[in-house]
Amino acid sequence: MTRHHYAVVAALAAGLAWAAPASAQQPAEQRRVDSLVAEVRALKARLDSLRAQVARAPGAAPVRRDTAATDELAALRAAAATATGADTARIRGDTAMPTKFVGRERSQPQLNPEISATGDVRAYGTTPGVQRDNFDAREFEVGFQSPLDPYSSTKIFVSFENGNVSIEEGYAYWTGLPGHIRFDIGKFRQQFGELNRWHLHALPETEYPLALRTYLGEDGLAGTGISLYHAFGGLGVHELTAQLTRSASDVELFGGGGRPTYLVHLLNFWQLTRSTYMQLGGTALYGTDPDASLRTKVGGVDFRFTWRPPAQALYREWTFRGELFALRKEYSGGGTTRLGWYAGTTYKLGQRWIAGASYDYVEDPLFGVITRQLIPSLTLWQSEWVELRAQYTWAKTAGLDATNQFALQAVWAIGPHKHETY
């Protein structure tokens, strides 16, 4: 019984004595109440004496507040045992904290992966020309994510696109390896620049930039292989990624030889102020096809600047990004280098509305014909689960008439992982 309990008993006793009417208070009852109060006072004095003895004992550890009640009860029992000659070892065992047994098995909910699904549907109108294919169920994606054990995790994304089913990504990865290295194995979107890593439904526009689609494939660059990632500090934060894969863009880029391709990406990050940060990266990609004497080299430089005031991040944000691509295909040692680039910006008008614009410039890989695009857009981020976008695209290829396209896009998601960006 702690000091708090004694105080409560004394208060109750005093309250009973005060609350009873004077006519009901009999001498016997009064003596009983006085006796109870005296016993409480004696117990309190005994408890204070035991505390003082424990504190003066050699090597005595200070009593923690969260264990005070247990220690006081043990001291009282020990004093009673000493007076009666009982087994103090057994009493100490009775007052000790119980042993906890913890199993390492996983419950059924923990064995289930986190499942998410995303829908991406568009409506188009193009001039000049006859209207056709105005509605497109662009993609439906189902994602599975789960830790495999304390050392590794997995992500699998199944894509349903234009009546075809494919694995957009499916890989396992390990973190916390020696040297703070992350190791991935499987199929994944490769770390070329910034936007190639993003899934289609998470882009700031309806499609990947024109230069990326022209040089790396219509759906961007993805491959099956291994990836090593390492982050380190020093005048900013830096990320180094090295990947050895068989690229899914093998036919367009490397002639279909099926040989390994090599990619290295270095990203540098600087926090300029509390509200602004900047990142600058560089990428090198190399692959060959001995049967056609082909050597393919692709270089890239990516840049991003973001202003996001901490106190207004939900309502105000401005981002400017751009990438420069250089593609060179060499047959028997000779070839031509083609260039392409884009620059884009987004500005958050409020909590839900985002205005964007981008400009694309691309040289055709075969003949060097130049195509330009100008794309303004307005996005309604209705919620974490629903995104609506209206977009206009002006495109002009050298020697051809300009085209105008109006597009509406609806993206919705269910599950724990929504519009994932990187």
Side-chain angles (χ1 to χ4, degrees), residues 202-252:
L203 294 172
E205 299 171 358
T206 59
E207 299 287 350
Y208 292 103
L210 181 61
L212 190 153
R213 288 182 280 139
T214 302
Y215 294 157
L216 302 182
E218 189 64 26
D219 292 325
L221 183 67
T224 302
I226 60 175
S227 174
L228 296 174
Y229 166 87
H230 176 63
F232 55 97
L235 297 178
V237 179
H238 316 281
E239 300 177 352
L240 179 63
T241 303
Q243 297 176 340
L244 175 64
T245 64
R246 179 179 63 81
S247 173
S249 304
D250 196 48
V251 176
E252 295 88 347

Side-chain angles (χ1 to χ4, degrees), residues 219-348:
D219 292 325
L221 183 67
T224 302
I226 60 175
S227 174
L228 296 174
Y229 166 87
H230 176 63
F232 55 97
L235 297 178
V237 179
H238 316 281
E239 300 177 352
L240 179 63
T241 303
Q243 297 176 340
L244 175 64
T245 64
R246 179 179 63 81
S247 173
S249 304
D250 196 48
V251 176
E252 295 88 347
L253 275 175
F254 309 109
R259 291 177 60 82
T261 61
Y262 310 89
L263 182 146
V264 176
H265 179 257
L266 175 64
L267 179 65
N268 308 281
F269 175 93
W270 298 277
Q271 186 77 40
L272 304 179
T273 67
R274 294 181 66 249
S275 304
T276 59
Y277 70 86
M278 182 182 72
Q279 55 187 53
L280 178 65
T283 311
L285 174 66
Y286 177 78
T288 63
D289 181 8
D291 297 334
S293 301
L294 171 64
R295 295 178 181 270
T296 302
K297 305 173 184 177
V298 188
V301 177
D302 57 277
F303 170 83
R304 176 177 178 176
F305 177 88
T306 295
W307 170 76
R308 184 187 296 127
Q312 306 177 45
L314 288 176
Y315 306 94
R316 290 291 180 267
E317 178 181 323
W318 175 60
T319 294
F320 176 79
R321 60 166 58 88
E323 289 190 58
L324 171 66
F325 300 82
L327 170 67
R328 182 177 179 83
K329 287 189 174 184
E330 297 180 352
Y331 292 90
S332 301
T336 304
T337 301
R338 305 297 186 188
L339 296 178
W341 58 273
Y342 77 88
T345 183
T346 57
Y347 182 79
K348 184 176 287 188

Side-chain angles (χ1 to χ4, degrees), residues 169 171-175 177 180-192 197 223-230 239-246 261-265:
E169 292 192 280
Y171 59 92
Y173 60 95
W174 288 257
T175 57
L177 297 177
H180 304 286
I181 292 176
R182 166 172 164 163
F183 174 75
D184 297 28
I185 185 168
K187 181 180 180 181
F188 42 81
R189 298 193 63 84
Q190 295 186 247
Q191 193 64 62
F192 195 110
R197 187 70 186 89
T224 302
I226 60 175
S227 174
L228 296 174
Y229 166 87
H230 176 63
E239 300 177 352
L240 179 63
T241 303
Q243 297 176 340
L244 175 64
T245 64
R246 179 179 63 81
T261 61
Y262 310 89
L263 182 146
V264 176
H265 179 257

Side-chain angles (χ1 to χ4, degrees), residues 353-410:
W353 294 95
I354 303 173
S358 68
Y359 181 83
D360 296 86
Y361 172 96
V362 180
E363 297 177 356
D364 180 75
L366 294 178
F367 307 107
V369 178
I370 298 174
T371 300
R372 295 179 173 87
Q373 284 187 346
L374 179 62
I375 307 175
S377 64
L378 182 64
T379 301
L380 170 61
W381 192 271
Q382 178 177 313
S383 68
E384 186 181 2
W385 295 269
V386 181
E387 173 187 357
L388 305 173
R389 176 178 292 125
Q391 177 176 297
Y392 166 73
T393 302
W394 174 88
K396 180 69 170 69
T397 300
L400 301 176
D401 294 334
T403 61
N404 304 276
Q405 183 187 83
F406 300 88
L408 295 175
Q409 180 186 22

